[in-house]
Amino acid sequence: MKNRIAITMGDPSGIGPEIIFKLFKNHNLENYDIKVVGIKDVFKDFGNINFEIIEPEYKGEKRFPIGKVNAESGMVSMLCVELAVSLALKREIDAIVTAPINKKSISIAGFPFPGHTEFLAHLTGSYDYSMMLVGDKIKTVLVTTHSPIKSLPDKITQESVLKAIKNAHNAGKYFGNDHPHVAVCGLNPHAGDEGAIGNEEEVIIKPAIEEGRKIGINATGPYPADSLFAKMLSGFCDIAVAMYHDQGLIPVKMESFGNAVNVTLNLPIIRTSVDHGTAFDIAGKNIASELSLLRAIKTADIMINNVKSTKYI
Ligand SMILES: NC(=O)c1ccc[n+]([C@@H]2O[C@H](COP(=O)([O-])OP(=O)(O)OC[C@H]3O[C@@H](n4cnc5c(N)ncnc54)[C@H](O)[C@@H]3O)[C@@H](O)[C@H]2O)c1
Ligand SMILES: N[C@H](C(=O)O)[C@H](O)COP(=O)(O)O
């Protein structure tokens, strides 16, 4: 049986519908059983639709302004995610792959979540999840997700760092390595220089790495983040653990933007996503690339095939 994957439409004011249409038009998808969760009317201007669309219950206006923040687009994009998650929890599909949402539009639509990741955690009752961005050589798991910088000191704890280390270890299998070398970034410049420039490395990050090592994870660090990612390009480690969003995502996007995949680890469902946003600046121009979406489908397929056969720590 082919793996059953639902792609959520994303924000209809952005490039989500366009890249979904291009995915079906330009690629051979016969190895997968793919459905789209979205609004049919949104796709009809692109041409003949040769894929199945499941619609969420949505009673509002179905014409969405292109390239503009608005509450209706935010609302419908989240309703699609909600429906896809319910199908995944009922095991009617094997994975969800998400097209991009706009964080401002979902906020004015009344969803108090800064992204899919946190909404998915809410819908599935998950706490020990992590965001991972998968580039070609650079693969990063984050300790904190969409957190304002000023909130970081409270969120980077021994527990949250250890959680990310475990999730990074367990993610190795998806990339052909059951025992990955997980290299952990410091938080401060030069990883604190042994306490000379901040002490989070000494009192939080090193103890978390030690805990990880005690349960058999090949975790090392903390390393100065400014040089770790350059070393990663030469094969120094398999997965990096980064303390906050931009520390981990800038290196992935520098290396692989447009071809990387966002994975939410340790949910009770499989979820992958594109590495880019709604790109309002190019929405409606027919120039958006669907390649990250294709990669997200392939990654979800690998995860589905691997998930049953793996031992978790
Ligand atoms: N997976 C997601 O849902 C997701 C991911 C990232 C950002 N976002 C959200 O999207 C919105 C816009 O974010 P942003 O402007 O920071 O980033 P963005 O990724 O939307 O755009 C950054 C730049 O990359 C270009 N770009 C993006 N995707 C492209 C594609 N497929 N093909 C060609 N060019 C592409 C855009 O035109 C823009 O110049 C924000 O609300 C952000 O929070 C959502
Ligand atoms: N952090 C992601 C990125 O920059 O690519 C993006 O915001 C998407 O996050 P969600 O999957 O949580 O929406």
Side-chain angles (χ1 to χ4, degrees), residues 244-303:
Y244 59 92
H245 186 277
D246 283 11
Q247 185 184 60
L249 265 54
I250 290 172
V252 175
K253 294 190 183 188
M254 286 289 291
E255 184 208 30
S256 301
F257 188 55
N259 209 15
V261 179
N262 176 343
V263 178
T264 315
L265 301 172
N266 207 16
L267 293 175
I269 61 175
I270 291 172
R271 180 265 177 159
T272 66
S273 188
V274 292
D275 66 354
H276 58 80
T278 46
F280 280 175
D281 56 333
I282 59 166
K285 296 184 178 162
N286 199 28
I287 56 174
S289 162
E290 75 282 17
L291 294 183
S292 175
L293 181 60
L294 178 63
R295 206 70 183 265
I297 299 278
K298 290 181 176 174
T299 304
D301 191 57
I302 291 169
M303 291 175 74

Side-chain angles (χ1 to χ4, degrees), residues 187-251:
L187 172 65
N188 296 299
H190 311 296
D193 261 337
E194 297 180 32
I197 316 177
N199 69 356
E200 285 83 356
E201 287 77 9
E202 302 303 315
V203 301
I204 296 171
I205 303 174
K206 278 185 187 172
I209 293 170
E210 276 314 305
E211 284 302 306
R213 294 187 67 80
K214 276 186 205 156
I215 55 173
I217 296 174
N218 180 17
T220 63
Y223 298 101
D226 61 349
S227 52
L228 175 63
F229 292 103
K231 294 194 328 183
M232 201 170 180
L233 286 176
S234 317
F236 174 73
C237 62
D238 302 301
I239 301 176
V241 168
M243 295 298 128
Y244 59 92
H245 186 277
D246 283 11
Q247 185 184 60
L249 265 54
I250 290 172

Side-chain angles (χ1 to χ4, degrees), residues 42-57:
V42 167
F43 290 92
K44 68 180 185 211
D45 291 342
F46 292 111
N48 288 334
I49 298 168
N50 63 347
F51 47 89
E52 185 183 340
I53 303 177
I54 310 171
E55 292 204 342
E57 251 185 67

Side-chain angles (χ1 to χ4, degrees), residues 51 58 73 109 159 163 292 312:
F51 47 89
Y58 170 72
S73 293
E159 192 187 8
K163 175 203 70 176
S292 175
Y312 280 82

Side-chain angles (χ1 to χ4, degrees), residues 35-290:
K35 295 174 176 45
V36 173
V37 181
I39 301 291
K40 284 186 188 129
D41 283 4
V42 167
F43 290 92
K44 68 180 185 211
D45 291 342
F46 292 111
N48 288 334
I49 298 168
N50 63 347
F51 47 89
E52 185 183 340
I53 303 177
I54 310 171
E55 292 204 342
E57 251 185 67
Y58 170 72
K59 307 229 176 321
E61 174 61 50
K62 289 187 179 171
R63 286 244 157 231
F64 303 94
I66 293 298
K68 288 197 168 42
V69 167
N70 70 98
E72 289 72 25
S73 293
M75 171 62 70
V76 81
S77 63
M78 290 304 248
L79 292 177
C80 292
V81 175
E82 216 166 44
L83 176 54
V85 169
S86 75
L87 296 174
L89 288 172
K90 287 187 277 182
R91 303 298 173 215
E92 290 178 22
I93 55 169
D94 300 306
I96 76 171
V97 174
T98 57
I101 54 175
N102 187 280
K103 311 299 170 59
K104 183 67 181 171
S105 295
I106 64 169
S107 157
I108 60 176
F111 288 87
F113 301 97
H116 284 103
T117 305
E118 298 80 359
F119 189 45
L120 294 168
H122 167 77
L123 291 173
T124 60
S126 306
Y127 297 95
D128 292 333
Y129 62 91
S130 297
M131 183 188 294
M132 178 176 199
L133 266 283
V134 181
D136 182 13
K137 292 182 179 150
I138 300 187
K139 299 176 174 55
T140 312
V141 174
L142 305 181
V143 172
T144 55
T145 53
H146 295 108
S147 300
I149 294 292
K150 68 179 176 189
S151 73
L152 293 179
D154 290 339
K155 293 186 176 170
I156 297 173
T157 62
Q158 196 175 319
E159 192 187 8
S160 64
V161 175
L162 181 59
K163 175 203 70 176
I165 290 171
K166 285 183 186 174
N167 285 338
H169 171 87
N170 288 329
K173 64 181 182 292
Y174 301 131
F175 311 101
N177 188 344
D178 280 345
H179 201 64
H181 175 192
V182 177
V184 182
C185 295
L187 172 65
N188 296 299
H190 311 296
D193 261 337
E194 297 180 32
I197 316 177
N199 69 356
E200 285 83 356
E201 287 77 9
E202 302 303 315
V203 301
I204 296 171
I205 303 174
K206 278 185 187 172
I209 293 170
E210 276 314 305
E211 284 302 306
R213 294 187 67 80
K214 276 186 205 156
I215 55 173
I217 296 174
N218 180 17
T220 63
Y223 298 101
D226 61 349
S227 52
L228 175 63
F229 292 103
K231 294 194 328 183
M232 201 170 180
L233 286 176
S234 317
F236 174 73
C237 62
D238 302 301
I239 301 176
V241 168
M243 295 298 128
Y244 59 92
H245 186 277
D246 283 11
Q247 185 184 60
L249 265 54
I250 290 172
V252 175
K253 294 190 183 188
M254 286 289 291
E255 184 208 30
S256 301
F257 188 55
N259 209 15
V261 179
N262 176 343
V263 178
T264 315
L265 301 172
N266 207 16
L267 293 175
I269 61 175
I270 291 172
R271 180 265 177 159
T272 66
S273 188
V274 292
D275 66 354
H276 58 80
T278 46
F280 280 175
D281 56 333
I282 59 166
K285 296 184 178 162
N286 199 28
I287 56 174
S289 162
E290 75 282 17

